[in-house]
Amino acid sequence: KAAPRKWTEGEELKFLEGLKLFGRDWKRIGEHIGTRDAKAVSSHTQKHFIRLCLQGKPLPPAVAASGDGYTLSGKPLDPNSAAARAYGFKPDSLQ
């Protein structure tokens, strides 16, 4: 398996733009970026949402329209999940 490729500045800008345009439609965001598929986008999004949550920043409106949770599904983030713990979440982080 090849090592993951770091996201370029251009890909990151297209990603952020895609979230604003397409919300949680990973396939369309991937098409918008042009160099990443839906799986890569969803993985990147999960990390991005957790960082936003830890920083107390809101989700883009198009994302929040399908659920205000900082997760791929829009459901509330479980601070005990492996993904959240990997980013330094503690069970009381959401209180």
Side-chain angles (χ1 to χ4, degrees):
K1 184 177 171 182
R5 183 171 56 84
K6 185 168 171 45
W7 283 59
T8 66
E9 190 175 332
E11 287 174 325
E12 188 67 26
L13 289 172
K14 288 268 195 186
F15 165 73
L16 294 172
E17 187 177 72
L19 285 176
K20 290 177 185 168
L21 292 170
F22 308 119
R24 286 185 166 90
D25 189 335
W26 318 132
K27 185 172 188 268
R28 286 184 71 190
I29 295 171
E31 290 166 355
H32 182 70
I33 296 167
T35 53
R36 299 287 180 160
D37 63 13
K39 185 174 184 207
V41 169
S42 66
S43 175
H44 193 65
T45 301
Q46 184 176 38
K47 296 167 197 151
H48 178 71
F49 284 177
I50 289 171
R51 282 192 298 267
L52 283 180
C53 187
L54 284 170
Q55 294 166 2
K57 295 182 179 175
L59 294 168
V63 173
S66 62
D68 58 8
Y70 289 80
T71 58
L72 296 178
S73 67
K75 293 180 180 159
L77 179 65
D78 176 1
N80 295 307
S81 69
R85 286 197 323 268
Y87 280 82
F89 246 93
K90 295 181 176 48
D92 59 353
S93 294
L94 297 173
Q95 295 173 357

